Amino acid sequence: MNISDLNPKDLKTQIIALYKRTLGSVIVMEWSFAQKSMLLLVFMIMLYSSYVLYMFAVPLNPEWAAYIDVPLFKILIWKDILVTLLAAIFFCCCYIWRKSAWANRHLPLFIIVFYAISMCLTGYLVGAMSPATGIFLIGTPLIGLALFPRGMVLWVTILATILMTLLAFAGVSGWIAYAPLFASGGILDLKQHSRFYFYSQMYFMLPPSLIILVAADVILKQWHMRGREVTLLSQLDSLTNLFNRRTINEHLERLIIESTEVERISILILDLDHFKQINDTHGHMIGDEVLKAVGLVLQQSMRKNDVAGRFGGEEFIVVLARSERQVGMQVAERIRNRIQAIRILDKNGDEIKITTSVGVSSCAPQAMAGIDPMLHEADQALYFAKNAGRNQVIHFDQLVAEQAPDFHIYDAKADVNEEGTLVKHMGAYPIPPSI
């Protein structure tokens, strides 16, 4: 497809797609310091190549030549060519030694100083107080702070700023020539001279501005992406990729604040049956595989607004948004069946039996006094399911409906109360008389 065949909207889409493929996929923040130095050197090569082009083009036009110091231009052409060649040589050195610890420790400072000296000289030539010099003094350090050690960049920036301030003061005081690149001994048309100076400043200003904007866009996007990744990693359990307990608790606290009076949720707490025996018999590697498989089952069983997490050890939790008792029981039973269907073989090729007990509670979050009562009800149901034979689903309502002499609710304040009843430190739990 030719560019002429595209309408402006399609062309814009193609350009954005190209930008994302070429620059958006480059993870600059993960580069070594030597590689980041290579990026700065590419920036220099691009800039000084444009300066060389300017130095060649301007003297060729007789009208423009009247507004410049031609002998100085001829000298500066070679200066800019030399800087470009040195930048290319340093780029090769950084590439060759990019994996060297010594190079990553010392080369960045050398490259930053080389860049600062070169740009200070160019800034003096075009005007120490010119817009182009201002972009160099402000824009470049911002990118440098994102790429290199903070102290290194700040010291070089402070020294460069002091130097440019002294040069500007000396220039306006008449001690040295100000913007000697544009000095001329002849009588000039002030209007034409101002126009030439303006266009020259735009030429020196636009390339670095564009490069800095593109670099800033890429770096800031990757910073934000890394920030989101760090936040997400802090919320996840590293083994199962489910949310961790702290994140689940925060989610439940938000539900209490944000839900309406009529909204109900269901909480499922799952505990893998005889998981300690699996670990003891088959080893922790197999145990981890079981936990990963259960985590995958939970992820595949969730709706968009549901949340699943690992509560610790072999215990998991599922929070079902806008779910009444019936929905909670159906989802819990489906999860139980899927976990029971997991097929994991031990080192001898024998299948490991995996089952889970599930406790379910349904409530209106806004009516609860906090997250502890919400979790407490599901945990009571789970405890009863474990002691009633395991591999089953029990809803807290069943416990309330079956309050009878065959079991009782006890107060959990110690491991064993005065009557000798076993106690678990979560609150009051229904305990079958067999316990």
Side-chain angles (χ1 to χ4, degrees):
M1 180 185 294
N2 296 324
I3 293 180
S4 58
D5 297 331
L6 296 171
N7 62 45
K9 185 176 181 180
D10 292 335
L11 182 59
K12 178 182 178 182
T13 303
Q14 294 287 341
I15 293 173
I16 293 174
L18 178 63
Y19 172 82
K20 288 182 177 179
R21 285 197 305 270
T22 55
L23 292 177
S25 60
V26 178
I27 311 300
V28 178
M29 303 303 296
E30 297 179 0
W31 287 1
S32 66
F33 287 137
Q35 290 174 309
K36 293 174 182 177
S37 299
M38 290 165 59
L39 181 64
L40 181 59
L41 290 168
V42 169
F43 179 39
M44 281 193 70
I45 292 171
M46 294 171 64
L47 277 182
Y48 276 88
S49 296
S50 68
Y51 296 164
V52 170
L53 180 63
Y54 177 88
M55 296 295 178
F56 270 116
V58 170
L60 297 178
N61 188 310
E63 182 180 351
W64 296 345
Y67 306 119
I68 62 171
D69 188 337
V70 176
L72 180 60
F73 254 68
K74 293 179 180 179
I75 297 173
L76 294 179
I77 288 175
W78 294 107
K79 186 270 294 183
D80 289 343
I81 291 176
L82 177 62
V83 170
T84 306
L85 291 175
L86 286 175
I89 292 171
F90 295 152
F91 178 90
C92 294
C93 294
C94 290
Y95 179 79
I96 294 171
W97 296 324
R98 65 189 183 280
K99 296 182 180 179
S100 166
W102 180 90
N104 279 281
R105 189 164 55 250
H106 298 290
L107 273 181
L109 178 59
F110 175 77
I111 299 302
I112 291 173
V113 171
F114 169 66
Y115 173 83
I117 293 174
S118 302
M119 294 305 296
C120 281
L121 179 57
T122 301
Y124 163 67
L125 293 171
V126 301
M129 300 176 65
S130 66
T133 304
I135 288 175
F136 151 65
L137 288 175
I138 297 174
T140 308
L142 294 177
I143 304 300
L145 288 171
L147 297 176
F148 299 103
R150 179 170 169 266
M152 184 186 300
V153 175
L154 286 179
W155 276 112
V156 175
T157 301
I158 290 172
L159 293 175
T161 303
I162 293 173
L163 175 60
M164 295 310 299
T165 302
L166 293 175
L167 289 173
F169 180 77
V172 298
S173 299
W175 300 340
I176 59 175
Y178 181 81
L181 198 65
F182 306 107
S184 175
I187 300 175
L188 301 174
D189 183 328
L190 183 60
K191 181 178 179 180
Q192 291 295 330
H193 183 270
S194 299
R195 185 177 299 168
F196 171 76
Y197 183 78
F198 170 78
Y199 290 142
S200 296
Q201 289 295 332
M202 292 295 292
Y203 183 89
F204 283 107
M205 183 174 64
L206 289 179
S209 299
L210 181 61
I211 295 173
I212 289 172
L213 284 175
V214 172
D217 178 62
V218 172
I219 292 171
L220 290 177
K221 279 184 178 178
Q222 292 177 4
W223 246 354
H224 294 156
M225 183 174 20
R226 174 173 287 188
R228 288 193 296 267
E229 289 174 354
V230 170
T231 300
L232 182 60
L233 288 174
S234 70
Q235 295 174 338
L236 295 180
D237 171 66
S238 59
L239 182 63
T240 62
N241 283 328
L242 298 175
F243 287 117
N244 56 33
R245 183 165 189 158
R246 177 176 59 84
T247 306
I248 293 293
N249 288 341
E250 292 173 353
H251 177 69
L252 291 172
E253 289 171 352
R254 283 195 301 271
L255 287 178
I256 294 175
I257 297 173
E258 298 173 1
S259 62
T260 63
E261 294 181 1
V262 297
E263 285 183 2
R264 294 180 65 81
I265 65 170
S266 290
I267 298 177
L268 287 55
I269 296 183
L270 303 79
D271 190 87
L272 300 183
D273 299 327
H274 305 296
F275 183 75
K276 184 178 184 302
Q277 183 178 341
I278 293 175
N279 268 337
D280 293 342
T281 304
H282 305 286
H284 289 280
M285 295 295 290
I286 294 294
D288 288 347
E289 291 301 317
V290 171
L291 294 175
K292 291 177 184 178
V294 172
L296 183 61
V297 166
L298 294 181
Q299 290 174 358
Q300 295 173 343
S301 303
M302 298 296 99
R303 300 170 301 179
K304 181 179 179 180
N305 295 322
D306 297 336
V307 173
R310 185 182 177 193
F311 231 39
E314 68 271 22
E315 197 170 63
F316 297 85
I317 184 170
V318 176
V319 181
L320 303 176
R322 300 181 180 87
S323 299
E324 298 286 345
R325 179 188 189 280
Q326 182 180 1
V327 175
M329 292 295 288
Q330 290 174 349
V331 174
E333 187 62 31
R334 182 168 69 246
I335 290 174
R336 187 193 67 80
N337 287 327
R338 289 181 176 179
I339 291 177
Q340 191 173 8
I342 293 174
R343 295 292 179 263
I344 293 180
L345 304 180
D346 63 13
K347 59 184 179 180
N348 298 320
D350 298 325
E351 185 177 311
I352 299 172
K353 183 180 179 182
I354 305 170
T355 61
T356 186
S357 303
V358 188
V360 185
S361 69
S362 302
C363 62
Q366 199 175 75
M368 305 301 287
I371 65 173
D372 288 341
M374 302 163 67
L375 298 173
H376 177 67
E377 292 182 359
D379 198 72
Q380 280 187 312
L382 170 65
Y383 195 76
F384 193 77
K386 298 286 284 188
N387 288 280
R390 293 184 170 84
N391 192 25
Q392 58 185 289
V393 177
I394 297 292
H395 196 285
F396 179 75
D397 288 353
Q398 295 173 252
L399 276 63
V400 176
E402 296 174 6
Q403 295 268 340
D406 62 334
F407 73 97
H408 58 278
I409 304 291
Y410 61 86
D411 185 17
K413 293 183 179 177
D415 289 337
V416 178
N417 61 19
E418 295 178 357
E419 289 76 25
T421 305
L422 179 65
V423 174
K424 186 180 180 182
H425 288 286
M426 269 292 290
Y429 293 81
I431 303 298
S434 61
I435 300 296

